[in-house]
């Protein structure tokens, strides 16, 4: 009972979500269901009238009027269904589109901590997997809503038309069999048979469906593996090199073959399940239909009603059996569909926990004609990743002044990138606070605070969009500014070879004439994107790791010009490339252990900087 309650609550939540995303759609579905439900009963009812009319020798005009009425009612119903269908399909497309947008928007809006959490991606993945598998999820609610309402109305109409059949009990003693057929007992027995048939059909349908879903679930891991091979080996030409060098063809093909064999086994199980349970339904339906015909005909023979009513009663009872079974089954399907709804809401209900401040950030950046007076201060900041027991940063205190060049150095895993993630508010400190111009950064409006930073992360991502959109990060960008920034990062030579200029697609995923770019070129484009965004702080995390020495020198030699009056924070484990920075912060095991310029730090021969410098210097020598 508790389970039923929570299932119903979830289904209600699903319907409310649909209503919120595409209002009126469900109302149209219900109206269409009424038309769909009434249509067969008009035919049944009017046919009975016409047959009775013919037998009673009604005049031709009356009979034609009945026929015309039946045709007109059905015509109106069919036309209305068509018109409603057109709008419902349109609404359904809109709903699908909006729901996909909501999923994308959600992943863009959730706390970054959740983006780094693999569970978040598994949740999103599950929504897609269940949807691709059998449409399970919020989408299934439409067909269920339509079937449930349609069959609900059909049940009402069929009961109204057959009610008199069971109340008309005669007192005929012409023969035993007719006597029995017209008795109350016979009515009760037939109703019981109908109920047994409905229960049997419901049982076999719901068991068959349950088995079907259980068997189908076997496809989920297979699909996942298949898409893994598809994206990583077949569709990704990047893998082409490895597969050839290591002769991996047979390895991959044998794995794919295993998937296909398993898939064949699953399909065969589905077939067997279908045959087993549908035969139960077919046999029981044949038996009950025969009994209904017998019962209705015998009552007619006993003179309780005319031949026309035979059509009406038989048709209505068949409709009742069919609609009641579908109605109950759909309820079972609706509950089975909850697995998909849970997946949808598991993802959509992920809560943001980062404090959402409201303070606007002062517009002091020089580009906005401000005095550029920004200061960021880390006050005794410590941080643990949500999934970790250990501190990634411990008691870090540091001030960053606008216009300065700060290098953050240290060995791998020393906390450099974590320091940047906290600075940009991708995470909040576990302890301590970070201040912008003396105010805790949590109090600032999130988006405004982000606007202060341009970051080239080590694992930056460029999209298979045109070059200009990648640099401008918008659909409509300033082409002159894009070209200027590309020139600043030394991309001019490569750019001149791009026939479509800023409209050249990066990579070939969407466009055949998209261009392949090297790791170094990608880094230059990412750098141009960072410069295009006129943010007062620019953070470069190993920005030249993929550049050749000439390109690296080119960027460094004009680094001051490129960065201009921004505050630049430059992260690297290559100490030689930090010498141009006037301020160097040395991180070790999550702590900021030294700070100063190159000469002062090097002079301290007991310091970490001195040790790291000497360890690396032998390679430069
Ligand atoms: P660096 O940039 O100096 O190489 P990081 O800041 O990336 O170092 O990492 C500091 C520590 O935090 C390392 O021990 C690393 O394993 C851990 N770490 C980094 N990212 C995560 C994460 N998303 N979840 C858990 N631990 C992490």
């Amino acid at each position: 009972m508790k389970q039923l309650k929570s299932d119903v609550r979830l289904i209600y939540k699903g319907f409310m979500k649909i209503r919120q995303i595409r209002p009126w759609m469900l109302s149209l579905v219900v109206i269409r269901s009424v038309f769909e439900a009434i249509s067969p009963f008009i035919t049944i009812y009017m046919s009975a009238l016409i047959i009775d009319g013919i037998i009673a020798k009604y005049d031709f005009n009356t009979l034609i009027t009945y026929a015309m009425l039946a045709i007109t009612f059905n015509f109106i119903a069919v036309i209305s269904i068509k018109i409603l269908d057109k709008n419902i399909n349109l609404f359904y497309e809109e709903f699908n589109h909006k729901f996909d947008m909501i999923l994308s928007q959600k992943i863009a809006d959730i706390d970054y901590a959740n983006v780094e959490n693999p569970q978040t991606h598994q949740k999103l993945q599950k929504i897609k997997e269940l949807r691709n598998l059998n449409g399970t999820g919020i989408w299934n609610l439409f067909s269920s809503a339509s079937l449930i309402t349609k069959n609900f109305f059909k049940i009402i109409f069929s009961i109204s038309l057959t009610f008199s059949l069971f109340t008309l009990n005669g007192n005929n003693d012409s023969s035993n069999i007719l006597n029995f057929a017209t008795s109350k007992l016979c009515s009760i027995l037939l109703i019981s048979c109908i109920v047994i048939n409905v229960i049997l059909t419901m049982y076999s349908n719901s068991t068959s469906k349950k088995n079907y879903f259980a068997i189908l679930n076997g496809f989920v891991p297979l699909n996942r593996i298949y898409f893994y091979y598809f994206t990583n080996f077949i569709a990704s030409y990047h893998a082409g090199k490895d597969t050839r060098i290591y002769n991996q063809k047979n390895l991959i093909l044998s794995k794919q073959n295993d998937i296909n064999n398993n898939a064949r086994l699953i399909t065969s199980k589905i077939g067997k399940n279908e045959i087993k349970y549908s035969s139960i339904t077919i046999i029981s339906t044949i038996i009950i239909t025969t009994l209904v015909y017998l019962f209705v005909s015998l009552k007619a023979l006993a003179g309780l009603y005319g031949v026309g009513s035979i059509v009406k009663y038989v048709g209505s009872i068949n409709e009742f059996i069919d609609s009641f079974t579908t109605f109950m089954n759909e309820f079972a399907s609706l509950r089975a569909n909850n697995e998909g709804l849970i997946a949808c809401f598991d993802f959509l209900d992920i809560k943001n926990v980062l404090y959402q401040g409201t303070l606007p950030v002062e517009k002091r950046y020089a580009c906005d004609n401000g005095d550029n007076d920004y200061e960021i201060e880390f006050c005794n900041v410590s941080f643990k990743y949500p999934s970790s027991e250990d501190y990634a940063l411990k008691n870090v205190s540091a001030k960053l002044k606008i216009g300065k060049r700060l290098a953050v150095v240290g060995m791998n895993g020393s906390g450099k990138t974590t320091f940047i993630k906290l600075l940009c508010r991708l995470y909040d400190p576990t302890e301590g606070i970070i201040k912008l111009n003396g105010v805790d950064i949590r109090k600032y409006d999130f988006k405004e605070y982000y606007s202060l930073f341009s970051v080239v992360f080590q694992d930056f991502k460029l999209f298979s969009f045109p070059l200009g959109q990648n640099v401008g990060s918008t659909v409509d960008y300033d082409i002159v500014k894009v070209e200027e920034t590309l020139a600043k990062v030394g991309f001019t030579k490569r750019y001149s070879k791009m026939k479509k200029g800023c409209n050249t697609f990066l990579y070939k995923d969407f466009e055949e004439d998209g261009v392949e770019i090297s790791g170094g070129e990608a880094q230059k484009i990412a750098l141009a994107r960072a410069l295009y965004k006129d943010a007062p702080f620019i953070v470069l995390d190993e920005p030249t790791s993929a550049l050749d020495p000439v390109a690296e020198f080119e960027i460094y030699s004009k680094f001051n010009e490129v960065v201009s009056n921004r505050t630049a924070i430059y992260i690297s484990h290559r100490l030689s490339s930090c010498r141009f920075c006037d301020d160097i912060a040395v991180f070790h095991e999550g702590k900021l252990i030294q700070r100063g310029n190159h000469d002062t730090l090097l002079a301290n021969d007991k310091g970490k900087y001195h040790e790291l410098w000497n360890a690396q210097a032998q390679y430069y020598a």
Side-chain angles (χ1 to χ4, degrees), residues 112 116 385-388 390-393 410-419 421 427 458 541 571 587 590:
Y112 183 72
E116 279 198 343
Y385 280 98
S387 58
S388 172
D390 303 320
Y391 280 98
L393 280 188
M411 297 196 302
N412 281 342
S414 57
K416 306 182 293 292
T417 306
T418 308
F419 174 72
K421 285 180 186 166
Y427 287 94
Q458 269 186 69
D541 193 350
I571 308 171
F587 276 78

Side-chain angles (χ1 to χ4, degrees), residues 228-286:
Y228 174 78
Y229 286 122
F230 187 80
T231 11
N232 288 296
F233 295 104
I234 304 167
S236 165
Y237 50 88
H238 301 296
K241 296 192 285 294
D242 301 272
T243 43
R244 276 159 188 74
I245 297 293
Y246 298 107
N247 195 15
Q248 291 169 320
K249 185 179 87 177
N250 289 340
L251 171 74
I252 295 159
L253 288 183
S254 77
K255 298 224 179 245
Q256 268 192 306
N257 204 26
D258 288 348
I259 301 173
N260 289 341
N261 287 341
N262 284 332
R264 209 174 306 128
L265 274 178
I266 294 176
T267 315
S268 137
K269 269 190 196 168
I270 291 176
K272 278 183 194 155
N273 176 61
E274 175 68 26
I275 291 175
K276 182 174 162 192
Y277 288 98
S278 61
S279 31
I280 298 180
T281 318
I282 292 169
I283 293 169
S284 119
T285 308
I286 289 174

Side-chain angles (χ1 to χ4, degrees), residues 10-29:
L10 186 64
I11 293 164
Y12 178 74
K13 189 174 171 184
F15 279 123
M16 286 302 104
K17 189 81 195 164
I18 294 177
R19 209 178 74 155
Q20 181 200 346
I21 297 174
R22 186 56 265 198
W24 289 107
M25 183 162 157
L26 287 172
S27 313
L28 290 195
V29 169

Side-chain angles (χ1 to χ4, degrees), residues 13 56 84 93 97 109 111 121 151 163 261 393-394 453 473 522 541 551 569 584 590 617:
K13 189 174 171 184
L84 287 164
E93 277 307 310
H97 175 67
D109 286 343
D111 286 349
H121 297 277
N151 288 291
F163 191 71
N261 287 341
L393 280 188
K394 190 79 188 145
F453 296 93
S473 296
D541 193 350
I569 300 159
I584 300 171

